[in-house]
Amino acid sequence: MSDVRHVLVLPDRDAAREVAQALAERFGVAEEPQLVRDALAGEDDAEDAQWLVVLRDAENRLDPKELDTLAAQWDGWREEP
């Protein structure tokens, strides 16, 4: 089994929390995703931070296209590995 990780980039903390909750509801993700604040390069203002939802997919069962669609609902996107 490979240790696949998906990273969803969201515009703010609230969106990241909602996406993490939606992952559990829609995809049955048992392991809680990690939420990480990612300050944009060269920006000191907290308002200019993106939030990452890092999700481990050890069984490689999550469809990247569905994750793209989910992130897009909150004006986010999925980073390609």
Side-chain angles (χ1 to χ4, degrees):
M1 247 187 293
S2 64
D3 189 17
V4 176
R5 292 188 189 273
H6 299 283
V7 177
L8 306 179
V9 182
L10 286 305
D12 57 49
R13 184 179 185 168
D14 289 339
R17 286 181 173 167
E18 290 175 22
V19 166
Q21 183 176 358
L23 285 165
E25 293 169 1
R26 294 185 195 180
F27 300 103
V29 173
E31 183 178 329
E32 187 170 334
Q34 181 181 8
L35 302 182
V36 180
R37 182 180 175 273
D38 183 37
L40 298 174
E43 297 292 336
D44 293 328
D45 188 352
E47 295 299 316
D48 291 324
Q50 295 173 323
W51 282 79
L52 308 179
V53 177
V54 181
L55 177 65
R56 202 171 124 232
D57 186 15
E59 297 172 8
N60 200 20
R61 64 179 187 87
L62 297 173
D63 182 349
K65 290 188 187 314
E66 289 182 28
L67 294 175
D68 288 338
T69 300
L70 177 69
Q73 292 174 349
W74 280 270
D75 296 324
W77 65 90
R78 181 183 57 86
E79 284 288 309
E80 288 291 336

